[in-house]
Structures are given as structure tokens and as C-alpha cells.
């Protein structure tokens, strides 16, 4: 209730040209992941964005959004080792503004899902604020906090390891090669569905 | 979506190129189901083929589990053509599926015949699953065999001054197609092709071979691997290599010997059997049969053919053993029979000995008994376990004069009871091992005369086909499979092989078909129009596949020092094999219904 009120307030601040976009919400969730040049939001520049829709139990990989973005400064060598995107790869990418316009179209007003989503959204907002006039108004669902709730319920008071690999392992999800934006977005979607399954009351299963 | 996100390295995808895989997965979505959720309902339209990435899916028909799909399994390939599923598919536990669009799968099937064959070939045409880990081990043995293991032929040496006519005579006398030519320090070779050239060029028959021989020899040391000899022959397109020892030519290895070594060690085994002077020699040869089976199975020989080859060796071994056990006058008056699977040529690993004797009235029964006892005991030592049902020539009931047998046959034909059908079934598959076929033929003619047109009698015999509750056992089996950690064992003989073999046996005997091998009977039944051609071929394919499974299982058990049996552990099966097993069992079930209708078994 409170969240939707904030969202409504934020929506009013969106430039009119984009306002209609955020009215589109069909209840689907968009799992999103970005690869960037740095882990510091202030310095970080976008390199790749991937987003995939979750429609009920379906992860719509076939219609996923994926873009390689041309950064203003070259990715530093430490980071290349993480995401495997070399300067030559990103040089062929799209200008950030173009990629983001398509992305906005893709996500519409749907809820966003991600692992440490706050960071990804913060980087996206750096680019989007000049465009929209405000931050992304979408509802956000943090995978790690949902996971935390589940483990907490199973083992009250215990230390909960929120590392990506640990979560994959505990949720028994097939592991995909990491640090590929698309793979990470798909994996997050798989984890989300596996998690929700664990929160589902047993009776509703025999539908 | 990029290819390789989920690595499709397993069959049937492993034959596709990366580009084909990408086309296939480009429009594929992931589907997640909680335990108990329904994935597909009967009669619903389906636009995708589902690959299980994680979890277990059960296929249900009328409330019973009829199939189970696990990681790397695909369902429902039947829906590819029709676009509809017949049964219900339910996630047994949390399940993640890769939904490959039907249209993309069909396109890939068109591009890659191998991939298409997986979905569209009837089971009799399905590509064979490649030899598995165990098989590679046997291959390894072949790969490391040396030329000495194959054995080169002793060469014929001729002096360079010998005439062409002399060389021709030497070749004919020694049954060889090449002679080595000694020309001082040089060694050359004079082969059939030199001979052709000489004739073509009208060279006089008394001119010396030295002038026409080749002096560039392709040699292999006897300690080199057989594969180097094969490579040499292939590379230079030659029919033979000269085998050397410390640089000196000591033999000739023709390509034909090499190939027969690869295709089988069998001729070596049969030579060994013929040359065996006593029981010990035969025991050694018997071990050779086992090695041959493992090797040939690993090289991908088809199971029915392998079974026939093993039968030929087994028969020769039994014949030789009989020669060793029976004094000549006894042997002359006896016909030794192999019964049951041994007679049909469908026993591969030695599971039991089923044999019988028909002997002439003129013989002393005590002498026959003594020879029979020695024979069965000898077989046991060679490695043929005794028959559980006592179907052995050392038992009085399985030995007798022609008149004794006629009495037994009359009894079987007129007072059928629950015990005798097994004896009769074994008898119906009899094949002569030694002593000529006349006595067996006479007994058979007598039997067919007694039962001709007795439809009820055949019905009684056929009834054994339903002695084992097929469906119930199968259901239990698929249900076991649902439990990931439990082992799923299935008696493939009772559940799949027996119904086909027995049904075919009864139909064939009724139709007066003489061969006893099930594949030959099926062929004859198809020709006679008793069973539809397509159905007969499918049954043959199903039977061959199940025999192969049993053989693989038996060889695996042996490797662990266990006894070979009829139990298949599906945990060890690949998804391709499980798929074929599912289809084979369905065919066996369909055939049971066919036989029941044919004999109107429902009325009993």
C-alpha cells in the first residue's frame, strides 16, 4: 500500500513522454542484471544489460532483452577479468541512451528482480534520470532478502550465507557460467521461482 | 539465446552442430514447476518438446505411472507429429524444463537425419546407442593387441631365379596369394597382382620371378600394434604386410586376417575348440568365447547376429565335448540336442545348459547314461551352469529312444498341465548339435501331426504368455524410477523378452514354421501374413534391444564378479536406452494382446 503510494508519487514526476510507459503492468516480473566497469556507482559505467520476463512459471528466455553498451571510458583490466567484456567487445556496442530506451520499453511498469538489485538500479538511474526526470519508479524485489527470509524461517538466528553460489546450491538450480549478464538474469529468475515454490503453502500445490 | 547456455552435449543433441543447436534453442523458454504440478494434460495442444534440466516428471495414464523422465530426458516425442499429448505429465518434484519449440525441433530433424531418426524412426531403425564405458575397455584391448597376437602366416620363400609357373604352383599348394622372393641380400614379394601383370604382358611361364617382383616391402615388426599394420595397408592400398622380427621377414599378414581379427576373434576360438584334446582345452576355449562376446559387443556388432555367432561356437564346443565324452559307437547312435535359448541361438552369456538326447534302440542305455553324465558334467566345468528346471541329458526324462520321445510328446499333446508347458516350450526350440538331424525331424513331424489344427491346444500353450502380470510389474518399475535414490530393477526376461519369444514360438509352431530362432520365426510369420510386416519388424527390433540390454547388464555384472542375470538396473541406463526400453515394453504388451486375441484367451 505504502510502496504503491510512493510509486504513484514518483510516477507523477516522470516526464510526460514516458509516463504512459510505466502504466503497463501485466503482473510479470523482470529479472535484470548489468555488467559495469566498476563496483563504485559513481565511477561505474554500463557495459551490458540483460533482462528476462517471468510469466508465472515461464522464464521467457526467447524474448529476453540483451544489449552491449559502449562506455565513455574503457573498462579497466581488473574488471575485464570478471565480465570478460574487452574494450574491443564493448566498442561495437550501442550508445547507452539507445539501449536504455529499448530497455524501458521492455520493462514497462513491471516489478524488477535482481541480486543486489539496488546497485544495478543505481547505475541505471545515473543514465535514466536525465531522460526520465526521476529514478526508475518500478517496484523492486531483492532476491537475497527473500532468500534470507526463507533461510531465517528454516534456521532462526543462524548466520545466513548470501553468496550467489551458495544460493544456487541451496536452491538446487542448475549453474550457468557466471558474469554473463544474460546468464545471471536467467539464474536469478530460476532462483526466484524456486524460492517462491518454497513459500507456497502445501495445499495450493495440487491445483 | 546463445548456444551453449545449457550445454546440450548428450543424445540426441550431441550430433547437432553449434549452429543447429543455436537454431533449436533460440526460441526456447525455461519452465518451472513445483512438485505435484501438472505440466501437460491429455488432449491438450502442445507446441514444444520438453527437455528436463532438473527434477523428475511422471507420465500418467488412467491414474497409473507409465513413464518417468529425469535430467536429460525428453518428452513427449510422440506429440511432435500430432501436436497433442495422450497422457498426463506431472512434476514429481521441483522441475525445470527447457521448452524447445516444436517447429524448431522439426526443422532440426530435417537438417540432421541423425537427430530426426531419434524422433521418427520406429524402434527397429533407431540408431544404436554407442558402446559405453565398459565397451571402451574392450576396445582398448583390441587397440593394444600386437601383430604377434593376430599371428602372421608362415611365408613361402622362393629364389629369384624360380619360374613364374613354380611360383603359381607354390601359391596353390600353400593356399597363399603371395610368396617372398630371395634375391641375394634383397627380399622381394611376388603377389597375385604381379601374376596378373605377367599374364597380361604375355611373359613366358618359365621366366624368373625375380624380374617381376616388388622389392619395396611394407613391413611391420611383430611387436607393433595391429593398428599400425592396418594403417599401412590403408595408406598404401595394399593387401598384405610383411611381418619382421629383428628386421628379418618372418611372415606375411594378409588384410583379410587382420579384418577378421577386428571383426571377431571368433575364428581363433573355433580353431581352439577343434584342436582341444581334452576338457582342459575346451575350458580354455570356453573362456575365449566369453572374451569374444565382450569384444564384439563393444565393437558394436548387432546383438541378434552376435547371438547367432555365439551359438555357432557353443554348438561346436558341445559337439567337441560330446566327441570327448561319448565312445564312437555311442556317438554314432545318438542325436544330441540343444534346447531352449541355446537351440534358438539367443543365449549369449552362458546362463544355463538345456540339452537332451535321442538314441537308437540298439544302444545300451547304461552306456548312453554314462556318456550323458560325463557330457553335462563337462559342460558345467566349461562354464555352463546346470538348468534350474533339470532340462539336461543326464536326467532320465531328457534322454530316450525315438519311441520314448513319441510317448512324451503324446503326453504333452494330450494331457496339458501347468508343469509341462515349460518342457514343451524348451523342446519346441530344439536344434541338433551332433548326430544328424533325422531323429529330431522325425520327432517334430510326429508332434506337428498330433497337434495339427488343435487350436485349443495352442491356446493352452499360449496362455503362459500372461502368467506374469506385465502391466503391474511395469507400473511398479516406473514408480520405482520416480525415487531418485532408490534403485529401479526390472526383470527384462519376464517383462519383455519372454512374452515376445513365447508368443512367436506358439504362432510359428502352429503355422508349421521350421526355424526355431525367434527372429527367423518372426520373418517367416510376416511372410506368411500371420503378423503384419511392420509389427513383426518392430517386435524384432524390440527383442534385439532388450537382448542387448540384458547382455550389457550381464557383462557389467561379470566385470564386478557377479552372476549375469535378467535384471536390468535402470539407474545405469542412458536416457536414450530408457526411451527405447519404454517403447520395447509397450510393443511386448501390444503383442500379448495380439496373441490373446488370436487364441481368444479371454475365454479361459
Amino acid at each position: 500500500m505504502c510502496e504503491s503510494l510512493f510509486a504513484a508519487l514518483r510516477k507523477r514526476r516522470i516526464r510526460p513522454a514516458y509516463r504512459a510507459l510505466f502504466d503497463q503492468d501485466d503482473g510479470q516480473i523482470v529479472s535484470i542484471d548489468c555488467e559495469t566497469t566498476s563496483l563504485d556507482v559513481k565511477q561505474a559505467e554500463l557495459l551490458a544489460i540483460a533482462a528476462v520476463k517471468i510469466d508465472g512459471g515461464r522464464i521467457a528466455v526467447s524474448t529476453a532483452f540483451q544489449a552491449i553498451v559502449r562506455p565513455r571510458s574503457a573498462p579497466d583490466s581488473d574488471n575485464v577479468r570478471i565480465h570478460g567484456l574487452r574494450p574491443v567487445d564493448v566498442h561495437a556496442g550501442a550508445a547507452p541512451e539507445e539501449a536504455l530506451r529499448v530497455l524501458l520499453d521492455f520493462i514497462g511498469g513491471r516489478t524488477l528482480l535482481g541480486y543486489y538489485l539496488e546497485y544495478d538500479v543505481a547505475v541505471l538511474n545515473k543514465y535514466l534520470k536525465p531522460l526520465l526526470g526521476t529514478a526508475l519508479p518500478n517496484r523492486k524485489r531483492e532476491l537475497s532478502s527473500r532468500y534470507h527470509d526463507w533461510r531465517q524461517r528454516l534456521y532462526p538466528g543462524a548466520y545466513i550465507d548470501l553468496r550467489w553460489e551458495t544460493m544456487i546450491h541451496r536452491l538446487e538450480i542448475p549453474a550457468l557460467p557466471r558474469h554473463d549478464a544474460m546468464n545471471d538474469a536467467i539464474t536469478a529468475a530460476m532462483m526466484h521461482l524456486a524460492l517462491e515454490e518454497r513459500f507456497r503453502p502445501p495445499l495450493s500445490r495440487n491445483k | 539465446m546463445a548456444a551453449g547456455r545449457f550445454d546440450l552435449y548428450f543424445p540426441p543433441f550431441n550430433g547437432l552442430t553449434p549452429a543447429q543447436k543455436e537454431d533449436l534453442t533460440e526460441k526456447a523458454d525455461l519452465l518451472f514447476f513445483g512438485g505435484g504440478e501438472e505440466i501437460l494434460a491429455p488432449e491438450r495442444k502442445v507446441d514444444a518438446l520438453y527437455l528436463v534440466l532438473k527434477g523428475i516428471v511422471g507420465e500418467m495414464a488412467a491414474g497409473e505411472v507409465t513413464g518417468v523422465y529425469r535430467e536429460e530426458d525428453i518428452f513427449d516425442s510422440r506429440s511432435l507429429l500430432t501436436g497433442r499429448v495422450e497422457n498426463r505429465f506431472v512434476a514429481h518434484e521441483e522441475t525445470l524444463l527447457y521448452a524447445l519449440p516444436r517447429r524448431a525441433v522439426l526443422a532440426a530433424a530435417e537438417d540432421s537425419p541423425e537427430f530426426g531418426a531419434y524422433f521418427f524412426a520406429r524402434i527397429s531403425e533407431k540408431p544404436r546407442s554407442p558402446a559405453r564405458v565398459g565397451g571402451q575397455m574392450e576396445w582398448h584391448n583390441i587397440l593394444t593387441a600386437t601383430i604377434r597376437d593376430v599371428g602372421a602366416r608362415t611365408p613361402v620363400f622362393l629364389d629369384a631365379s624360380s619360374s613364374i609357373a613354380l611360383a603359381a604352383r607354390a601359391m596353390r599348394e600353400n593356399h597363399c596369394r603371395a610368396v617372398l622372393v630371395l634375391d641375394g641380400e634383397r627380399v622381394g614379394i611376388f603377389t597375385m597382382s604381379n601374376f596378373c601383370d605377367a599374364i597380361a604382358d604375355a611373359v613366358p611361364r618359365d621366366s624368373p620371378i625375380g624380374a617381376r617382383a616388388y622389392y619395396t616391402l611394407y613391413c611391420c615388426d611383430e611387436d607393433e600394434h595391429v593398428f599400425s599394420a592396418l594403417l599401412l595397408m590403408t595408406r598404401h592400398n595394399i593387401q598384405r604386410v610383411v611381418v619382421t622380427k629383428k628386421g628379418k621377414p618372418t611372415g606375411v599378414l594378409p588384410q583379410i586376417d587382420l579384418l577378421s581379427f577386428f571383426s571377431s576373434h571368433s575364428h581363433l576360438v573355433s580353431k581352439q575348440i577343434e584342436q582341444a584334446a581334452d576338457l582342459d582345452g575346451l575350458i580354455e576355449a570356453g573362456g575365449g568365447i566369453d572374451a569374444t562376446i565382450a569384444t564384439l559387443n563393444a565393437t558394436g556388432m548387432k546383438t541378434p547376429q552376435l547371438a547367432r555367432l555365439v551359438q555357432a561356437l557353443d554348438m561346436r564346443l558341445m559337439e567337441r565335448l560330446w566327441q570327448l565324452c561319448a565312445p564312437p559307437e555311442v556317438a554314432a547312435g545318438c542325436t544330441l540336442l540343444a534346447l531352449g535359448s541355446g537351440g534358438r541361438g539367443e543365449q549369449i552369456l552362458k546362463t544355463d545348459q538345456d540339452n537332451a538326447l535321442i538314441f537308437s534302440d540298439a544302444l545300451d542305455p547304461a552306456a548312453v547314461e554314462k556318456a550323458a553324465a560325463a557330457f553335462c558334467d563337462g559342460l558345467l566345468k566349461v562354464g555352463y551352469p546346470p538348468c534350474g528346471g533339470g532340462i539336461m541329458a543326464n536326467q532320465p526324462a531328457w534322454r530316450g529312444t525315438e519311441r520314448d520321445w513319441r510317448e512324451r510328446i503324446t503326453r504333452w499333446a494330450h494331457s496339458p498341465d501347468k508343469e509341462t508347458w515349460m518342457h514343451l516350450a524348451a523342446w519346441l526350440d530344439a536344434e541338433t548339435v551332433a548326430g544328424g538331424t533325422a531323429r529330431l525331424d522325425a520327432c517334430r513331424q510326429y508332434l506337428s501331426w498330433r497337434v495339427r489344427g488343435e487350436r485349443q491346444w495352442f491356446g493352452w500353450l499360449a496362455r503362459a504368455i500372461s502368467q506374469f502380470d506385465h502391466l503391474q510389474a511395469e507400473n511398479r518399475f516406473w514408480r520405482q524410477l520416480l525415487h531418485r535414490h532408490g534403485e529401479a530393477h526390472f526383470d527384462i526376461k519376464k517383462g519383455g523378452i519372454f512374452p515376445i519369444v513365447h508368443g512367436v514360438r506358439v504362432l510359428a509352431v502352429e503355422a508349421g514354421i521350421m526355424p526355431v530362432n525367434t527372429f527367423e520365426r518372426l520373418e517367416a510369420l510376416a511372410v506368411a501374413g500371420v503378423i503384419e510386416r511392420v509389427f513383426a519388424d518392430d517386435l524384432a527390433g524390440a527383442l534385439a534391444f532388450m537382448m542387448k540390454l540384458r547382455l550389457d547388464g550381464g557383462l557389467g555384472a561379470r566385470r564386478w564378479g557377479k552372476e549375469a542375470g535378467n535384471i536390468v538396473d535402470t539407474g545405469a541406463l542412458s536416457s536414450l536406452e530408457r526411451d527405447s526400453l519404454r517403447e520395447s515394453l509397450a510393443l511386448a504388451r501390444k503383442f500379448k494382446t495380439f496373441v490373446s486375441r488370436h487364441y481368444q484367451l479371454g475365454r479361459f
Side-chain angles (χ1 to χ4, degrees):
Chain A
M1 173 69 194
C2 206
E3 198 192 350
S4 58
L5 191 69
F6 276 127
L9 280 173
R10 210 176 299 146
K11 265 187 203 166
R12 282 176 48 194
R13 278 196 264 149
I14 297 173
R15 296 223 166 93
Y18 290 97
R19 212 170 278 163
L21 199 60
F22 292 98
D23 291 335
Q24 297 172 15
D25 186 1
D26 47 15
Q28 294 183 4
I29 293 173
V30 174
S31 173
I32 190 164
D33 188 75
C34 302
E35 300 295 328
T36 58
T37 50
S38 159
L39 284 176
D40 176 359
V41 176
K42 276 188 196 138
Q43 290 175 21
E45 286 201 52
L46 274 174
L47 291 175
I49 316 166
V52 59
K53 285 178 194 155
I54 307 170
D55 177 11
R58 177 182 290 263
I59 304 171
V61 183
S62 58
T63 57
F65 167 87
Q66 194 169 13
I68 304 270
V69 177
R70 189 169 58 228
R72 276 160 288 200
S73 61
D76 62 50
S77 56
D78 277 356
N79 250 304
V80 172
R81 254 180 282 137
I82 296 178
H83 45 63
L85 292 169
R86 298 159 301 162
V88 59
D89 296 323
V90 292
H91 188 69
E97 289 72 20
E98 286 168 47
L100 288 168
R101 264 192 205 111
V102 185
L103 176 70
L104 283 179
D105 228 22
F106 183 83
I107 58 180
R110 299 180 183 91
T111 302
L112 298 180
L113 170 83
Y115 175 73
Y116 291 105
L117 181 63
E118 207 179 324
Y119 169 81
D120 295 87
V121 170
V123 176
L124 286 174
N125 279 339
K126 253 179 40 168
Y127 291 82
L128 286 173
K129 268 185 185 158
L131 220 64
L132 295 176
T134 177
L136 274 172
N138 304 56
R139 266 185 301 248
K140 293 166 205 72
R141 198 169 289 185
E142 175 54 47
L143 192 63
S144 62
S145 71
R146 190 73 169 151
Y147 176 85
H148 184 275
D149 291 349
W150 171 56
R151 297 307 286 180
Q152 192 70 65
R153 207 177 55 170
L154 287 179
Y155 307 102
Y159 163 74
I160 294 164
D161 182 352
L162 291 177
R163 277 176 305 170
W164 177 261
E165 285 74 18
T166 311
M167 288 170 52
I168 288 179
H169 175 71
R170 295 255 182 263
L171 289 167
E172 297 171 62
I173 289 298
L176 290 171
R178 254 218 98 175
H179 295 298
D180 165 279
M182 194 68 233
N183 276 359
D184 287 358
I186 292 172
T187 307
M190 291 194 287
M191 285 203 265
H192 163 75
L193 289 173
L195 257 178
E196 291 315 305
E197 175 64 20
R198 279 155 182 76
F199 280 105
R200 201 133 63 94
L203 275 179
S204 73
R205 289 186 187 189
N206 298 324
K207 58 180 180 184
Chain B
M1 176 171 166
R5 203 175 296 285
F6 290 101
D7 191 5
L8 304 176
Y9 59 89
F10 41 84
F13 306 102
N14 50 353
L16 297 176
T17 64
Q20 284 170 331
K21 283 186 194 176
E22 189 164 348
D23 287 344
L24 190 60
T25 53
E26 203 187 358
K27 295 267 169 254
D29 282 344
L30 291 167
L31 299 179
F32 184 93
F33 293 91
E37 273 190 78
E38 182 176 88
I39 299 168
L40 291 172
E43 296 306 313
R44 205 193 287 168
K45 253 184 85 184
V46 195
D47 55 2
L49 192 69
Y50 298 96
L51 168 64
V52 183
L53 293 175
K54 168 193 157 7
I56 299 181
V57 174
E59 179 181 353
M60 320 280 292
E64 284 288 356
V65 183
T66 58
V68 171
Y69 304 84
R70 297 186 290 189
E71 277 95 358
E72 299 183 11
D73 282 353
I74 292 170
F75 65 91
D76 174 28
S77 22
R78 285 157 293 182
S79 75
L80 260 190
L81 280 181
T82 59
R84 277 171 198 285
V85 284
E86 283 171 31
N87 297 333
R88 218 172 136 233
F89 291 81
V90 177
H92 183 70
E93 56 173 47
E94 221 169 80
T95 296
L96 194 64
L97 302 174
Y98 209 179
L100 307 170
R102 186 164 155 240
R103 204 181 300 170
V105 176
L106 291 173
E110 220 168 278
D111 281 356
S112 159
E114 210 182 307
F115 180 73
Y118 176 82
F119 298 106
F120 299 117
R122 296 196 318 262
I123 184 155
S124 51
E125 293 160 359
K126 257 200 185 158
R128 301 168 38 71
S129 57
R132 285 174 297 157
V133 187
Q136 277 161 11
M137 209 166 70
E138 311 304 340
W139 255 116
H140 187 70
N141 291 344
I142 281 202
L143 286 165
T144 54
T146 63
I147 291 168
R148 204 203 310 239
D149 296 334
V150 186
R153 298 190 188 186
T154 316
V156 174
F157 288 99
L158 288 179
D159 198 78
S161 60
S162 314
S163 70
I164 289 177
L166 182 74
R169 276 201 300 280
M171 283 185 191
R172 188 174 63 190
E173 278 157 25
N174 293 286
H175 306 289
C176 60
R177 301 170 75 83
V179 293
L180 293 184
V181 180
L182 291 171
D183 183 10
E185 285 296 295
R186 289 199 299 174
V187 179
I189 192 165
F190 187 81
T191 70
M192 291 293 271
S193 62
N194 298 105
F195 201 75
C196 285
D197 291 345
I199 300 290
D201 299 347
V203 174
R205 58 199 299 277
D206 53 356
S207 51
I209 52 171
R212 316 266 326 168
Y214 296 128
Y215 290 94
T216 317
L217 293 185
Y218 295 101
C219 301
C220 280
D221 191 85
E222 61 173 12
D223 286 326
E224 279 186 76
H225 289 165
V226 283
F227 261 95
S228 24
L230 187 65
L231 270 177
L232 203 63
M233 291 180 195
T234 317
R235 206 173 324 134
H236 298 288
N237 193 23
I238 48 175
Q239 302 297 311
R240 57 191 62 74
V241 293
V242 174
V243 178
T244 57
K245 186 179 179 180
K246 293 188 179 130
K248 287 228 164 78
T250 56
V252 172
L253 179 64
Q255 195 174 39
I256 186 95
D257 285 11
L258 200 56
L259 291 180
S260 67
F261 176 80
F262 282 118
S263 68
S264 69
H265 296 144
S266 62
H267 70 294
L268 298 177
V269 177
S270 78
K271 223 183 276 172
Q272 213 178 349
I273 291 171
E274 269 153 38
Q275 288 165 359
D278 52 16
L279 187 60
D280 286 341
L282 281 180
I283 291 173
E284 207 189 315
I289 297 180
D290 278 354
T292 304
I293 293 169
T295 307
L296 292 184
N297 188 44
T299 55
M301 188 183 210
K302 292 201 164 151
T303 313
Q305 278 85 321
L306 176 58
R308 296 314 293 267
L309 181 80
V310 171
Q311 182 191 31
L313 293 176
D314 279 347
M315 291 275 200
R316 227 174 273 181
L317 187 144
M318 285 191 265
E319 192 184 355
R320 181 81 192 113
L321 180 64
W322 182 237
Q323 283 170 2
L324 293 175
C325 295
E329 68 278 8
V330 173
C334 279
T335 298
L336 177 64
L337 305 174
L339 307 182
S341 58
R344 289 196 309 274
E346 285 156 31
Q347 185 177 113
I348 303 178
L349 295 173
K350 305 176 182 73
T351 47
D352 57 0
Q353 48 165 301
D354 294 342
N355 44 59
L357 274 174
I358 311 175
F359 57 88
S360 128
D361 303 328
L363 280 183
D364 171 17
V368 176
E369 183 181 346
K370 205 176 144 210
F375 174 76
C376 290
D377 191 49
L379 266 190
L380 184 66
K381 288 196 176 110
V382 175
Y384 297 82
C387 169
I391 306 182
M392 291 186 289
N394 62 3
Q395 304 296 311
W398 292 96
R399 201 171 62 224
T401 61
E402 250 176 78
R403 190 196 316 199
D404 294 335
W405 281 109
R406 269 206 294 273
E407 274 171 28
R408 279 171 207 155
I409 290 166
T410 311
R411 227 171 31 241
W412 286 337
H414 285 277
S415 48
D417 69 59
K418 275 179 193 156
E419 270 76 48
T420 49
W421 78 261
M422 265 180 78
H423 293 165
L424 184 57
W427 169 263
L428 288 172
D429 297 345
E431 189 69 82
T432 305
V433 176
T437 57
R439 291 191 187 94
L440 175 61
D441 286 346
C443 288
R444 281 189 153 176
Q445 267 158 24
Y446 180 74
L447 174 70
S448 62
W449 172 72
R450 293 243 56 143
V451 299
R452 181 164 306 142
E454 301 260 356
R455 214 174 163 77
Q456 242 185 333
W457 183 83
F458 285 102
W460 159 75
L461 187 60
R463 222 154 30 133
I465 203 173
S466 41
Q467 60 159 1
F468 175 71
D469 192 345
H470 203 168
L471 198 62
Q472 201 191 337
E474 235 184 84
N475 279 332
R476 202 178 322 125
F477 166 69
W478 293 120
R479 244 178 285 131
Q480 274 175 346
L481 261 182
L482 281 176
H483 301 288
R484 181 177 295 274
H485 301 294
E487 292 174 325
H489 294 296
F490 185 62
D491 188 325
I492 197 161
K493 184 178 176 185
K494 281 190 193 164
I497 295 176
F498 173 75
I500 295 181
V501 167
H502 190 60
V504 167
R505 169 161 49 212
V506 179
L507 290 171
V509 171
E510 190 189 19
I513 289 162
M514 290 311 279
V516 293
N517 177 267
T518 304
F519 296 98
E520 286 178 23
R521 279 173 169 167
L522 268 171
E523 176 62 31
L525 286 169
V527 169
V530 178
I531 304 179
E532 240 177 277
R533 163 60 62 191
V534 177
F535 192 27
D537 288 350
D538 282 353
L539 285 171
L543 180 63
F545 173 76
M546 291 189 286
M547 281 170 67
K548 163 101 177 127
L549 271 195
R550 181 167 65 166
L551 174 60
D552 286 342
L555 287 173
R558 290 230 165 142
R559 218 169 279 126
W560 297 104
K562 283 188 252 167
E563 223 172 284
N566 296 314
I567 306 296
V568 169
D569 175 7
T570 50
L573 298 184
S574 72
S575 57
L576 204 78
E577 288 171 319
R578 263 196 312 256
D579 232 32
S580 298
L581 177 60
R582 195 176 293 127
E583 252 176 85
S584 299
L585 292 177
L587 275 165
R589 218 182 307 134
K590 189 174 156 199
F591 184 57
K592 264 171 77 168
T593 313
F594 173 85
V595 172
S596 300
R597 272 208 206 111
H598 186 89
Y599 292 110
Q600 299 177 308
L601 294 185
R603 293 187 317 172
F604 287 94

